Amino acid sequence: LPLGIFLFSASVRNAQLMYNAGTQVAVTGGGIFYVGGAVENAAGLFSNAGQTTMKGYFRNGADATGGFGAGKYFVYGDWENNDVFTADQSDVVLTGNAQNITGTSVTTFYDLTLQTGGTVKTQTLDANVSHLLELNDCELATTDYNMNVTNASPAAVTRQNGYVSST
């Protein structure tokens, strides 16, 4: 498809749930994919080298990637990883109100950006960031878990009034 345009059925644009039961869903570089609800990648591959916005949660039960590039995932609900997420050079932007980083598999993000000032993003398992953690004006509540930032640069964690809390 030219210019990274991703086509899917027109009914998905207003869907409450985009459910992948075993196919390959690919958003190519420059492509924009919008789901007015949640995305469940139950089987198959969800590859995002473009910009994917989901107004609900993202639940990965199979393979999801950054599309071998710098894809952006805008998630308004919870981020739930239950299988394999290969970040590549992607940016996961948690932009909703109270959100969880959850699932049964540890997520290693490349970039993790927390948005919507004054909100709390809560971990229910360990997670990793390999490049950049942007707290902005949000609280990252690690509870009893670890958020490991493996980039040794002092610029690897940025914030405005955001902070990390733990129990």
Side-chain angles (χ1 to χ4, degrees):
L1 297 168
L3 302 172
I5 297 171
F6 176 74
L7 297 176
F8 205 69
S9 82
S11 63
V12 170
R13 195 178 92 236
N14 295 318
Q16 294 301 308
L17 174 67
M18 195 289 290
Y19 187 83
N20 181 13
T23 190
Q24 179 176 345
V25 177
V27 183
T28 58
I32 297 173
F33 186 51
Y34 178 86
V35 179
V39 171
E40 287 194 27
N41 186 46
L45 172 66
F46 190 94
S47 177
N48 177 36
Q51 177 179 309
T52 296
T53 300
M54 49 208 86
K55 295 299 269 188
Y57 61 83
F58 178 71
R59 180 177 296 143
N60 180 41
D63 291 319
T65 74
F68 303 105
K72 278 192 168 276
Y73 285 86
F74 289 94
V75 182
Y76 284 75
D78 292 342
W79 175 272
E80 182 179 338
N81 184 32
N82 298 312
D83 208 325
V84 177
F85 175 70
T86 305
D88 299 312
Q89 292 183 339
S90 65
D91 185 8
V92 173
V93 182
L94 298 180
T95 191
N97 290 320
Q99 290 178 279
N100 293 307
I101 299 169
T102 190
T104 57
S105 296
V106 172
T107 298
T108 297
F109 301 97
Y110 180 74
D111 287 343
L112 176 61
T113 303
L114 309 183
Q115 287 185 338
T116 310
T119 61
V120 179
K121 317 303 182 182
T122 304
Q123 287 180 234
T124 67
L125 76 165
D126 290 342
N128 305 304
V129 173
S130 65
H131 184 246
L132 181 62
L133 172 61
E134 294 182 68
L135 298 170
N136 292 308
D137 290 324
C138 299
E139 175 185 351
L140 175 60
T142 61
T143 61
D144 291 333
Y145 300 98
N146 296 308
M147 175 59 75
N148 302 300
V149 179
T150 58
N151 180 352
S153 169
V157 178
T158 64
R159 67 184 204 87
Q160 292 165 8
N161 292 315
Y163 60 96
V164 176
S165 66
S166 69
T167 54

